[in-house]
Amino acid sequence: MRIEAAELRLITLPLKFRFETSFGVQTERHLIVLTLFGEGLEGYAETVMEYTPHYREETLPGAWALLENLLLPKVLGRDFANPEQLWAEISGFRGNRMTKAALEMAFWDLWCKSLGQPLWKLLGGVRQEIPVGISLGIEPSLESTLEKVGQGLAAGYRRIKLKIKPGWDIRPVMAVREAYPEATLTVDANSAYNLNDIGTFCALDAARLDYIEQPLAFDDLLDHAKLQSAITTSICLDESITSPEDARKALEIGAGRVINIKPARVGGILASRKVHDIAQSYGLPVWMGGMLEAGIGRAANIHVATLPMFTKPGDTSSASRYWQEDIIEEGLEATQGLMPVPQGPGLGITLKRELIQRLTEKSAYIA
Ligand code: OSB
Ligand code: MG
């Protein structure tokens, strides 16, 4: 598959809800829509990073510059037989995995389309519906937290994840557990704690959480292993896993028992499959994380989550929860907590071009 040209568009999408985490508040998403052109086909991707490096280090302006000046010039006019070959070409650049993942995603879409196959099939997926839950931001009150949890469960979502931070942890979590004794509940601290907080996590053992997501530093493994040995609840790693190598090391030292796979964070779809395979070799489950994706990224996440070890409900909830109007024609909607897998070639999605054009704040065409 020859990559002939590329287009970058910067767009902003207002979120339907205010999303507060331990690292900040989000009310809109800024993303780059990347299109690769080749052999009469188009491959799509969207980015996950924001303007500020509050989740991991990468930023949107950094991604734009890297794509425009380095990554796209390196692959344009070149032929790649498969995603592995494309990855080999760009893997010499260190880090910047989210940015490289965007290029890889668009190439997967293009390559699968050239073979007339959906992504999930070429990847080796085994399921046609993905079990999903919701990620609830930090709410202004206990009452609204309980209400949102109730709504999520009533909609059939299979797990409710509560964002926590120091000062908003044991009390809301226990209140939700008391109100919903049977619900599958998890929490996500987004790196807000350290080993001095072991007492908080010991107290949370009583909440019977399925796991505690990323309690400690975004780049830590060792302290997570220490915390894991001190509590009964499983730790799930998110921020700390940026590659298959990280996953191997984390599982080897017992830094957690579950991995949240976000394809962008680990360096793309091939890397996601490798992290998945490593978890499988330890007999440990994974689940599909989310970065408040619009339609392109959401579709990609659904395809990847068809791999066998994605047994825990992921964060890929219905697109209509997030957006008044999504950027793709297909509605990615879950029923009773099950998200169907798109069946067209590649990602199986069609862009809403007029909407994307209208939203475009900046664009670049590179040939
Ligand atoms: O830590 O999982 C996270 C969103 C943005 C950045 C980090 C995270 C999240 C979410 C939302 O939890 C998941 C989603 O609904 O897409
Ligand atoms: Mg997380």
Side-chain angles (χ1 to χ4, degrees), residues 19 135 161 163 188 190 213 238 262 290-292 315 322:
F19 191 64
S135 172
K161 155 169 144 186
K163 292 287 186 177
D188 187 358
N190 287 109
E213 189 175 337
D238 175 352
K262 294 178 183 173
M291 293 290 286
L292 310 171
D315 275 347
Y322 304 80

